[in-house]
């Protein structure tokens, strides 16, 4: 019997529940796995150093090999430390860990954007910088303008535009 290969366009973890106090050797979390916008299964890690478990919905045509192949491609196109594991035959579990780390980082950025102006530079793509917001939108705009001028071509992205719906700017480098 020939198995059809699922065409994957997007993979996301949603409804993520994370436990800091229960994360010992690995991150303790559970999440719903969505592929192409549809629920495809569940992911969890008990936080005790074991593997991340993936439970695929058997109604879908998605396979672990599909996830592994898509994950390999996404990780290889990223700046992630997970690249060193690309020669692993089945990357599906590692890919779920990668997606969790990505979610966790974005959660931190969202939190930081509430009270700070957050931006990235081309020269340091793996980190972002913070400047405390003044509380006055006009003054915050002036700070952004001065940083764009200060960093010039090294200026990359104002993260507040992506993660803080209340922060808008018309300034572009």
């Amino acid at each position: 019997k020939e198995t059809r290969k699922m065409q994957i366009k997007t993979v996301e973890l949603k409804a993520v529940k994370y436990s800091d106090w229960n994360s010992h050797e690995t991150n303790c979390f559970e999440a719903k796995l969505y592929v192409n916008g549809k629920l495809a299964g569940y992911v969890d890690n008990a936080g005790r150093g074991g593997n991340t478990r993936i439970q695929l919905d058997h109604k879908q045509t998605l396979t672990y090999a599909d996830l592994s192949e898509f994950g390999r491609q996404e990780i290889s196109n990223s700046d992630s430390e997970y690249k060193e594991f690309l020669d692993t035959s089945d990357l599906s579990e590692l890919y779920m860990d990668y997606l969790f780390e990505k979610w966790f980082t974005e959660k931190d950025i969202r939190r930081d954007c509430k009270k700070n102006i957050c931006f990235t530079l081309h020269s340091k793509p793996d980190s972002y910088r913070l400047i405390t917001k003044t509380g006055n939108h006009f003054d915050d705009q002036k700070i952004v303008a001065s940083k764009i001028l200060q960093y010039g071509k090294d200026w990359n992205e104002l993260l507040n535009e992506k993660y803080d719906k209340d922060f808008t700017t018309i300034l572009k480098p």
Side-chain angles (χ1 to χ4, degrees):
K1 182 179 174 181
E2 186 178 326
T3 34
R4 285 188 313 149
K5 189 174 180 172
M6 183 179 208
Q7 182 66 30
I8 299 177
K9 294 180 181 145
T10 61
V11 177
E12 299 175 88
L13 296 182
K14 293 185 178 182
V16 178
K17 294 178 185 171
Y18 166 70
S19 174
D20 184 46
W21 66 268
N22 207 24
S23 295
H24 296 280
E25 294 180 31
T26 53
N27 289 309
C28 178
F29 73 97
E30 61 182 49
K32 293 180 180 179
L33 174 64
Y34 280 76
V35 175
N36 299 336
K38 294 182 181 176
L39 182 62
Y42 300 89
V43 178
D44 67 79
N45 190 311
R48 304 277 190 241
N51 293 343
T52 296
R53 293 184 318 144
I54 306 167
Q55 299 164 301
L56 295 179
D57 183 345
H58 296 292
K59 297 173 195 163
Q60 301 279 345
T61 59
L62 179 69
T63 67
Y64 293 101
D66 294 334
L67 269 181
S68 184
E69 184 179 318
F70 187 82
R72 187 178 316 281
Q73 184 177 15
E74 187 172 328
I75 292 169
S76 68
N77 292 331
S78 74
D79 292 327
S80 171
E81 66 211 24
Y82 286 89
K83 278 185 172 182
E84 69 182 84
F85 302 105
L86 287 176
D87 60 350
T88 306
S89 60
D90 181 8
L91 269 181
S92 57
E93 290 176 12
L94 190 71
Y95 180 48
M96 295 303 106
D97 292 335
Y98 165 81
L99 290 176
F100 173 78
E101 292 291 335
K102 194 170 158 184
W103 172 86
F104 195 79
T105 300
E106 288 181 357
K107 179 179 83 74
D108 284 347
I109 294 171
R110 263 195 264 306
R111 183 197 65 227
D112 287 341
C113 283
K114 289 180 182 177
K115 295 184 179 182
N116 302 283
I117 296 168
C118 303
F119 62 96
T120 61
L121 301 174
H122 289 290
S123 61
K124 300 193 187 265
D126 294 334
S127 64
Y128 60 97
R129 295 179 179 223
L130 308 169
I131 301 170
T132 304
K133 287 182 182 175
T134 64
N136 177 308
H137 186 68
F138 182 71
D139 289 341
D140 289 344
Q141 295 293 323
K142 289 195 297 189
I143 291 170
V144 170
S146 72
K147 292 300 171 187
I148 290 172
L149 289 173
Q150 177 184 349
Y151 290 106
K153 290 182 180 183
D154 197 25
W155 176 270
N156 185 27
E157 178 181 24
L158 178 64
L159 296 173
N160 298 74
E161 291 179 322
K162 188 189 284 185
Y163 296 106
D164 182 358
K165 66 181 185 315
D166 297 326
F167 193 95
T168 57
T169 183
I170 56 171
L171 303 169
K172 300 290 176 209

